[in-house]
Amino acid sequence: MVTAAILAGCGGGGSSSSSSTSAKSTTTSSLPAPPKPPPNAEEGTVFVSLGSAAGLGLVLVDSEGHVLYAFSKDTPEASACEGACAKAWPPLLVESGEPEPSNGASAARLGTITRGDGTRQVTYAGQPLYTYSGDDQPGQAKGNGVSAFGGTWTALKGSGTPAG
């Protein structure tokens, strides 16, 4: 997260604009480049973007390019993932302000809920969002289709429906 905050705080730096050509090129590597936050993004802003995930195509990703997942036990009003579950599947949290769409994600589908511990979790199409501790690098989707903690975890397309 520190890296994302530093990058987001850099905004109009020269390296930010020069990296856009490599992100647009078609790559045959197994891990795509993470999406870039919009220029001049304020530090601490949480972005939800569309990014490539191995075997799934375009799915929702966080500011660092890590795949975002929905949990089948959740409801639009509440997360069912606490304690050990939240350690394995960290919720995507926003400390202040609202989450921002980037790179094709829908602003109309973004929202937040308040978790049992008082933190605010980002939602998309009414589904609370999580990363997966088993995804070591941006673009990995090792958690897609995993059954754990009494439910199934799925990466989401930009429409808010399950991917692959």
Side-chain angles (χ1 to χ4, degrees):
M1 291 277 215
V2 173
T3 303
I6 291 169
L7 290 175
C10 293
S15 64
S16 174
S17 61
S18 66
S19 66
S20 65
T21 55
S22 65
K24 289 182 181 179
S25 66
T26 304
T27 180
T28 57
S29 74
S30 62
L31 299 175
K36 292 185 343 178
N40 302 319
E42 291 188 31
E43 186 172 330
T45 302
V46 173
F47 291 97
V48 174
S49 305
L50 289 178
S52 294
L56 296 177
L58 288 178
V59 296
L60 297 178
V61 297
D62 68 7
S63 300
E64 297 174 354
H66 291 276
V67 171
L68 295 170
Y69 298 91
F71 184 39
S72 64
K73 285 187 66 176
D74 286 346
T75 67
E77 297 84 28
S79 167
C81 182
E82 306 273 339
C85 177
K87 288 189 186 317
W89 300 88
L92 181 63
L93 302 175
V94 61
E95 291 183 23
S96 63
E98 296 299 321
E100 296 289 332
S102 177
N103 197 37
S106 169
R109 291 186 173 111
L110 279 172
T112 61
I113 59 167
T114 301
R115 294 175 54 81
D117 62 5
T119 58
R120 290 176 50 227
Q121 184 172 1
V122 178
T123 63
Y124 194 84
Q127 301 174 81
L129 298 177
Y130 305 83
T131 56
Y132 176 49
S133 62
D135 287 344
D136 303 318
Q137 298 177 29
Q140 287 183 332
K142 293 178 182 177
N144 192 54
V146 169
S147 292
F149 298 98
T152 303
W153 298 86
T154 54
L156 298 176
K157 297 179 185 179
S159 63
T161 59

